[in-house]
Amino acid sequence: MRTLERHRRLQANWASEPGWKGWTSTVSHTDLGRMFLVTSFFFFAVGGVLAMLIRAQLATPNSAFVGPELYSQFFTMHGTIMMFLFAIPTFEGLAIYLLPKMLGSRDLAYPRLTAYGYWCYAFGGSMLLISMVLGIAPNGGWFMYPPLTGPLYSPGINTDFWLIGITFVEISAMAAAVELTVSILRYRAPGMTLDKMPIFAWYALVTALMILTGFPPLILGSILLEVERAFGFPFFQAELGGDSLLWQHLFWLFGHPEVYIIFLPAAGVISTVLPVMCRTTLLGYGWIVAAAVALAFLSFGLWVHHMFTTGIPHMGLAFFSAASTLVAVPTGVQIFAWIGTMWKGRPDLRLPMLHILGFFATFVMGGLTGVMVAVVPFDWQAHDTAFITAHLHYVLFGGFVFPILAGLYYWLPHFTGRRRFFRLGEVAFVLIFVGFHGTFLAMHWVGLLGQRRRIWTYEASDGWTTINLISSVGGFIMAFGLAMVLIEVVMAFFVGRRSPRNPWGSGSLEWAMPTPPTNYNFASLPQIRARDAVYDDPALPARIARGEGYLATPRGDRRETLTVDAGRATPDYIVVYPGNTRLPMLMSAVTGLFFLSILLKLYWFAPVALAGVAALALRWVWALGHRDDVGPEDVGLGVSLPHAGEVGRAPGWWGSLFLLVANAVLFGSLLFGYAFLFTVAPGWPPPEWFQPSLIELVGGIAGAAVAPLGMRLAIRANRRGGSAMTGLAVAGAGVLVVLVALVALMLRVPPPTGHAYNATLFVMGGYGAAHVIIPLLMLGFLAARVSRGFVSARRRAELPIAGLWVDYMGVVAILILAVAHLPGFAS
């Protein structure tokens, strides 16, 4: 097949719909990555405008620019937008756009999940913006500490917008994390072993795993606080056995890893762009990977350093202070590796390199102030002053925005296929750098003089006027610089000369394709032999285009790629993607109706919306699979592979595995909350314990043990060519028994509004019941698939997926029943 004919057939197979309709139906990672980035930078602009309004208010004492209520909404929405609607979605957009191109694949693992995540992000973020337009935006700070945000002190709808909107947006983050984790582990070019992966892929993998384990505590905290506000369950009310410190623990279990979730992708950009700007290769690849992994682990042991002033025992203070200082070690390893890379090469001071140098100066200063606040006596003095705000911005703006701007200019020719024309970026860099340091150096200064965070005004006699004015002027200078970046990037799409394919002389795979990229990425999938594949084989782009790789010949209208073994990177099986569809947008809209029904107190409609989500999910998966055995097919280079539906661990199995990891962290956080209240909160033990029942306990545990056995019977029978229906029936019976035991638990718990113990048991029972209903739906779906001929001894991929969920249900049910019944027996 000729190169041009191959291109036309692949382009026809992979193209999105033309015009605006394509944006609503596309499942292309290239389109969705761009959509994420455009939307996140729109939110960045909104957050920046709010920052300017804050600085305008604080520029002079006793300013009448805005009142305290509006100011509270401004700083709450500024922090919320920057943390939840800009930083994480920007990483998601960049990773979604780049990773298949870097890894030598044609798309991510679950294109429709990517689209669903985008629309959840867009709808959830819009919900928060609408609240601001209506004047009822969240006003309790981006951290939402109770009891301030509880029903007594925040009776309006403002806090509910935050709790519900952020939970909606976090669906997008979890979807992206599952997507990226599976894609990096399985959807790589053959031969690209883990030690040959691009360094950005390592950072993205670590970050995705951190999202899976860091976001669930916040999701749980948001759910508990919303349930308290809506139904009066006293999780955070000390007089009824709750404790407001539980929120702080759950929030900062997310909040401190969040800092590194933001920093690590930016460090991945630095590690990718810096060697190219220095015309060399990255120094210390293995050390950098180890440092990123170490940083991820350590970040989960630091959350209490945000709570040094809450009365933590001295031994705990010493431990978390030491851990907070220790985290500087892996960060320092990366900094020195980057400095060594510059020393080894010949730095070229082009625009991406300027932003990298800005990152070095800013982030190192932020890191040093971080070591300062890790020292407990200093933190006691500086806590909740403007010094902490300045430190946060040095770490996050310096550690994220400067690298993202470097990456933006570095990959801009890839996005647009054009070179910059007006050269505004250099002037913009100077304005951003000078404006940023003017703003936040002054804020460090005024914080040391005693100015508190989150104040809306101050007196001239405080002596802070000149410093605040300097800070505000610096903020506006920085805003002008960022506006110039926006203007230049927009104009680059319309004005400028054509860029060569690889203008920077990079060795990574994303530059081995035409720019702007085609919808299918690679005309054939390459065999990788070195980490910098283009340096190793300069003719690789031409050989890919000529079809000298895998899957070079399109088969019909199929969108095909292949997966590899996670460790050896040998070809594993063929994946055929679904085509363009509006189902993800529709499903996210129905998901939004569920959240809106809770926000508007239309609780009767919430089950209806959930039923709609379940129906669309079943429609989603019903379209997969086929009724005939296909067998192995030729993928080129003398290799034949089976289809994804004819293997034991299909993409759906891997996605379920990592989704259940996140689910287990959420459940573990719920158990942590129960244990925390049990041991620390006032008002314990409760007035009355849950009355245990040996029949319910033993029956529920028996059902939880029988259901997984039934799934194993179904899998074994299907593998031998028999019917899986008997095993599915046994599993279904076990699941129903567990459901009865958990519903009985929820019905017999003392009134949940009376004590936090009762409320916690009720929520545990509800969590368990939800995770019984999901496997029950899966079993019914599988029975229908078996009866319709979608499952056979060869087409066996669907049964193990349901088996994972049934196994998880069994473990969770046993733990819930034990936690509920055993204390009653002991008392």
Side-chain angles (χ1 to χ4, degrees), residues 389-409:
T389 307
H391 158 68
L392 177 70
H393 283 80
Y394 260 83
V395 172
L396 294 185
F397 194 101
F400 185 77
V401 177
F402 276 119
I404 287 298
L405 291 177
L408 181 66
Y409 280 112

Side-chain angles (χ1 to χ4, degrees), residues 788-800:
R788 296 292 184 89
F790 282 94
V791 177
S792 70
R794 183 184 290 274
R795 287 172 279 118
R796 63 188 191 276
E798 297 177 6
L799 290 169

Side-chain angles (χ1 to χ4, degrees), residues 416-432:
T416 65
R418 299 176 182 272
R419 297 178 178 179
R420 290 190 303 129
F421 182 75
F422 286 101
R423 305 289 173 177
L424 300 176
E426 288 76 5
V427 177
F429 167 75
V430 173
L431 293 176
I432 294 168

Side-chain angles (χ1 to χ4, degrees), residues 314-345:
H314 285 182
M315 182 64 73
L317 292 176
F319 171 81
F320 285 102
S321 178
S324 301
T325 307
L326 182 63
V327 80
V329 175
T331 306
V333 168
Q334 295 172 86
I335 296 288
F336 281 109
W338 294 329
I339 293 173
T341 301
M342 289 191 289
W343 188 274
K344 170 186 169 187

